[in-house]
């Protein structure tokens, strides 16, 4: 592991840690029952801000590639995630989402040519089990639509992670611009859904304005920039194994700030999930491409051929 790799992993991990604060901010400061409006306020202002800072627009094939990534990572993922959270009891949506590492391992084998190894698969199972111990607090009838939404949101984000690494980014374009493209595309996809399903924006008090500013700036603009920056420098498997830090952070914030109780079983689950997260960083896999380097994968004759996915002008 290169000397700067632990620092890079730590910076990338700040994204799911930040996302773990979303539930507390939403329940304590924001208007109730407006999940799509909240998703819109997270994505679109953050995306427009990053576009203004980067001052770079997509070119050529990257118009549709950025739109596809924005839909998978933001525009489809967030509404499905909120739908699951509203229809499933307790932390069931988070438990279903914790199988994300297993989806990424499978999609990485399919799209990146990374052969699945026993260690990341086992670590993914342990992570899902540990998160389940933390977030599942009681039995109840499971809503079929909610479970399907949770699974679909997990598949959407997993596919976004893998395709973000496969496509890389255009030459001369940094992660700030790529993040801005995706957040803007995702926000524009959510906007008509929010208007049709929830109507006009609600009246906002000072607490709500502060909450939305936090979600748009720290929780989305900065967090997603760190996330996509990490995807460009780490393997897809390493990145997705940081995902369980989000429900673990939510549990800690609930205990520390909202007075929620942590049982011994939950603490054991946290230890298991955190250990699996660490194991996921050590799991064998294909080396992530360095910035400016095209993605490589094994060809049929056993040699590694550069995958030119977007044409010479847009190779990473």
């Amino acid at each position: 592991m290169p000397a700067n790799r632990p620092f890079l992993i730590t910076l990338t991990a700040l994204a799911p840690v930040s996302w773990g604060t979303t539930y507390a901010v939403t329940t304590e400061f924001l208007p109730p029952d407006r999940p799509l409006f909240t998703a819109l306020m997270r994505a679109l202002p953050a995306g427009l801000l990053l576009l203004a800072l980067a001052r770079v627009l997509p070119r050529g094939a990257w118009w549709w590639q950025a739109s596809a990534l924005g839909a998978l990572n933001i525009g489809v993922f967030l509404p499905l995630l909120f739908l699951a959270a509203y229809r499933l009891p307790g932390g069931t949506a988070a438990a279903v989402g914790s199988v994300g590492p297993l989806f990424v391992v499978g999609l990485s084998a399919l799209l990146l040519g990374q052969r699945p190894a026993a260690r990341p698969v086992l670590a993914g199972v342990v992570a899902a089990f540990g998160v389940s111990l933390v977030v599942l607090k009681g039995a109840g009838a499971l809503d079929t639509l909610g479970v399907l939404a949770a699974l679909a949101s997990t598949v959407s984000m997993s596919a976004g992670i893998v395709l973000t690494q496969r496509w890389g980014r255009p030459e001369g374009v940094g992660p700030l611009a790529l993040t801005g493209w995706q957040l803007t595309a995702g926000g524009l996809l959510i906007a008509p859904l929010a208007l049709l399903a929830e109507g006009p924006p609600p009246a906002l008090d000072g607490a709500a304005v502060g909450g939305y500013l936090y979600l748009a700036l720290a929780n989305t603009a900065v967090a997603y920039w760190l996330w996509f920056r990490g995807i460009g420098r780490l393997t897809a498997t390493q990145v997705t194994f940081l995902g369980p830090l989000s429900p673990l952070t939510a549990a800690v914030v609930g205990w520390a700030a909202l007075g929620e109780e942590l049982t011994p079983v939950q603490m054991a689950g946290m230890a298991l999930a955190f250990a699996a997260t660490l194991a996921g960083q050590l799991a064998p896999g294909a080396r992530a491409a360095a910035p400016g380097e095209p993605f490589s994968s094994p060809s049929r004759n056993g040699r590694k051929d550069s995958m030119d996915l977007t044409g010479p002008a847009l190779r990473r």
Side-chain angles (χ1 to χ4, degrees), residues 209-234:
V209 171
Y212 282 127
L213 283 175
Y214 167 77
L215 290 182
L217 298 177
N219 188 266
T220 302
V222 175
Y224 272 100
W225 170 69
L226 291 172
W227 186 248
F228 291 127
R229 180 177 179 269
I231 292 175
R233 291 166 169 80
L234 301 169

Side-chain angles (χ1 to χ4, degrees), residues 203-310:
L204 304 179
D205 57 16
V209 171
Y212 282 127
L213 283 175
Y214 167 77
L215 290 182
L217 298 177
N219 188 266
T220 302
V222 175
Y224 272 100
W225 170 69
L226 291 172
W227 186 248
F228 291 127
R229 180 177 179 269
I231 292 175
R233 291 166 169 80
L234 301 169
T235 67
T237 301
Q238 285 178 311
V239 172
T240 194
F241 268 103
L242 298 175
L245 293 176
S246 180
L248 297 186
T249 301
V252 171
V253 171
W255 168 75
L258 305 180
E260 298 177 357
E261 196 175 328
L262 278 178
T263 67
V265 171
Q266 286 178 299
M267 289 187 283
M270 292 175 68
L272 278 175
F274 188 70
T277 297
L278 293 178
Q281 306 313 309
L282 303 174
R287 179 185 62 83
E293 177 185 359
F295 174 76
S296 298
S297 69
S299 66
R300 292 181 180 178
N301 60 12
R303 297 177 302 174
K304 285 194 173 183
D305 297 329
S306 173
M307 296 179 65
D308 187 355
L309 299 166
T310 56

Side-chain angles (χ1 to χ4, degrees), residues 28-118:
E28 296 300 308
F29 300 106
L30 303 184
D33 302 323
R34 301 303 294 263
L36 290 176
F37 180 74
T38 297
L40 174 63
M41 292 299 290
R42 286 184 64 186
L44 191 55
L48 294 175
L49 173 63
L50 295 185
L51 283 182
L53 292 174
R55 295 186 294 179
V56 177
L57 292 176
R59 292 183 298 172
W62 269 98
W63 280 104
W64 74 263
Q65 287 176 315
S67 298
L69 292 176
L72 290 170
N73 288 316
I74 310 295
V76 172
F77 169 72
L78 287 179
L80 285 174
L81 182 67
F82 280 123
L83 175 62
Y86 272 78
R87 297 186 70 96
L88 295 177
T92 305
V96 174
S98 67
V99 302
L102 299 178
F103 283 123
V104 168
V105 169
L107 289 171
S108 294
L110 181 65
L111 298 177
L112 303 183
Q114 297 178 2
R115 294 182 179 179

